[in-house]
Amino acid sequence: MSAPADKAPKVLPALRAAPSAARYLLVGALVNQMGAFLQTFLVLYLVHKGLGASLAGAALGAYSLGAVLGTLAGGELTHRLGPRTTIALSMAGSALLVSCVPLLSGPGHAPVLIAVTALTGAVAQAYRPAASTMLSDLMPEEHRVMAFSMFRIALNVGAALGPLIAFWLITVDWDLLFWFDGASALGYAVLALAVLPGKRAPAAGGPAPAPAAVADADAVPVVSSRSVYGAMLRDVRFVLYLASMALMAVVYVQYTVALPLELNADGLTSTYSVALTLSSAVLITCELAVTARVKGWPAHRVAGAGTVLMTLGMAGYGLASGSTVVVLLCTTVFVSGLMTNGPTMFAYPATARQAVKGRYIGTSQAVFGLGSALGTVLGEAVWRRTGDGVWLMCAAAGVASAVCAFLGMRGLAPEPAAAEDKAPAHS
């Protein structure tokens, strides 16, 4: 997995190496993210409809729980149905469900609304393991980490454009948020069926596939779920990697939980908007270049160093003391760490063999989502009780995450098994 730094793939070669299908996949993710309004605006929408903050919080919590379960299910569906079919079903189902939200925003529909938002979270997030699996299949191995960086850039561009569209839609009718959300998801479903490959093909420049690898409907060798997930639990190194992802998520989510609470208490509410804009701008403009720079380094060092860097930025918010300059400086350090470790850590499970890749990716993303949900609860509770103690919590969780990543991601992993009926193991 390591290579001399001067031989690390650069941005333009990686872009040129991306086949058309990979580019369509990235465009679809961008379009879908551009209209992904449910999670972002659900609380504001329900409060606007007069349903109260308690119901809004319960609905958002249901969505988050559904998203964790949906990511796990997405990994399993990717294995059984193939990436293209999973993406299409996820996006089509999401389009239908999210379009129902305005119909359930009246009085008396609270239980159904919470159930629908939970189901929407599950269905909408099921596409992520499938998209990650297909992207890793399509890209040459030497550009795999760069491909995941491109995927993150597409999501960040969509997330940056989305609020601008949402602002215009809200001025017309709040319900348009979810009609647009449904339309963007449906567009991704149509794109997936129309242009994404329905058969497994070798990545650009890769070897010719074996006969079983080009079977219809993205067929993969059958491996029982019990053997795969059992092997994950027995694999100490992969468990350390999952622990690192969960702890990293606990730190990461404080950017949207503890930081706005802290800045609001310090009278710097407007500074949060500036920090959000700064982080988006830095990620969009610099992440590919940073990924190209660190691509040749050993994965465990990239993950460990990047996690330490983002932890320094997050813990540094505790020293801001009402200073906008310090907040923006810490944001820059925090985002620099994300750009360093993010692509490598999210690409790591994509090195699993074909028969179980979707399950490994789905598990890692579900664990990250679970860490985010846990971090949301912990961050609010610790900040409310101890104030700046939340930044000490971030420092401890971040250091533990870096250690787990360094120990768990040494060498190539997950390594291919010798037989198709065995789950992957690490050396």
Side-chain angles (χ1 to χ4, degrees):
M1 182 169 278
S2 61
D6 57 349
K7 294 183 180 180
K10 303 303 180 185
V11 177
L12 290 180
L15 290 173
R16 285 194 293 265
S20 298
R23 296 172 187 173
Y24 288 133
L25 187 68
L26 296 175
V27 169
L30 188 154
V31 170
N32 179 60
Q33 186 66 29
M34 195 165 56
F37 297 140
L38 182 60
Q39 187 175 18
T40 307
F41 290 95
L42 182 61
V43 172
L44 292 177
Y45 175 78
L46 294 180
V47 171
H48 170 76
K49 290 290 185 177
L51 296 180
S54 297
L55 175 60
L60 184 60
Y63 180 95
S64 300
L65 177 60
V68 173
L69 298 176
T71 307
L72 274 175
E76 190 66 27
L77 288 174
T78 298
H79 169 74
R80 295 180 181 276
L81 304 179
R84 184 183 69 170
T85 302
T86 302
I87 292 172
L89 288 175
S90 171
M91 291 295 97
S94 173
L96 176 63
L97 289 167
V98 77
S99 299
C100 293
V101 171
L103 305 178
L104 300 172
S105 59
H109 293 138
V112 180
L113 176 63
I114 291 175
V116 168
T117 53
L119 187 57
T120 303
V123 174
Q125 296 304 312
Y127 93 94
R128 286 184 178 264
S132 297
T133 299
M134 179 174 282
L135 189 62
S136 69
D137 288 344
L138 291 170
M139 291 295 290
E141 183 178 355
E142 65 270 21
H143 296 303
R144 183 175 288 146
V145 173
M146 185 66 73
F148 277 82
S149 185
M150 294 176 189
F151 188 69
R152 286 160 53 87
I153 292 292
L155 294 178
N156 282 318
V157 171
L161 295 176
L164 301 177
I165 299 172
F167 176 77
W168 176 76
L169 292 173
I170 288 171
T171 61
V172 179
D173 189 336
W174 277 81
D175 289 348
L176 288 176
L177 285 174
F178 304 109
W179 305 131
F180 188 91
D181 191 334
S184 65
L186 185 60
Y188 195 5
V190 172
L191 182 71
L193 291 175
V195 300
L196 295 184
K199 298 179 180 179
R200 295 196 180 275
V214 295
D216 194 20
D218 303 314
V220 293
V222 176
V223 182
S224 71
S225 300
R226 179 179 299 181
S227 65
V228 174
Y229 295 119
M232 289 184 193
L233 293 177
R234 293 191 300 270
D235 188 340
V236 175
R237 291 179 57 230
F238 194 71
V239 169
L240 284 172
Y241 161 75
L242 293 177
S244 177
M245 289 289 282
L247 290 167
M248 182 178 73
V250 170
V251 176
Y252 170 79
V253 80
Q254 303 315 317
Y255 187 62
T256 58
V257 176
L259 181 59
L261 291 173
E262 180 81 7
L263 295 181
N264 182 64
D266 290 340
L268 298 175
T269 304
S270 60
T271 299
Y272 185 58
S273 296
V274 178
L276 288 175
T277 302
L278 174 64
S279 63
S280 295
V282 173
L283 282 168
I284 292 170
T285 57
C286 300
E287 181 165 316
L288 287 176
V290 171
T291 302
R293 175 66 64 178
V294 304
K295 171 63 179 66
W297 301 358
H300 64 289
R301 294 182 183 176
V302 174
T307 303
V308 167
L309 192 59
M310 66 171 282
T311 300
L312 287 174
M314 184 62 69
Y317 287 128
L319 305 176
S321 301
S323 171
T324 297
V325 173
V326 175
V327 169
L328 297 182
L329 177 62
C330 290
T331 297
T332 303
V333 175
F334 169 68
V335 173
S336 297
L338 284 179
M339 292 188 296
T340 302
N341 71 350
T344 296
M345 292 189 72
F346 279 94
Y348 180 77
T351 59
R353 62 192 176 95
Q354 198 66 58
V356 296
K357 183 187 296 185
R359 288 165 170 167
Y360 268 67
I361 292 175
T363 299
S364 69
Q365 293 181 353
V367 166
F368 185 86
L370 188 61
S372 297
L374 178 62
T376 299
V377 176
L378 281 176
E380 189 276 335
V382 173
W383 184 87
R384 177 163 38 85
R385 295 182 181 183
T386 67
D388 285 346
V390 71
W391 309 120
L392 294 177
M393 180 193 78
C394 287
V399 170
S401 176
V403 171
C404 288
F406 189 86
L407 295 177
M409 295 176 64
R410 286 176 176 270
L412 293 172
E415 290 185 353
E420 288 300 322
D421 61 345
K422 296 181 181 179
H426 299 268
S427 58

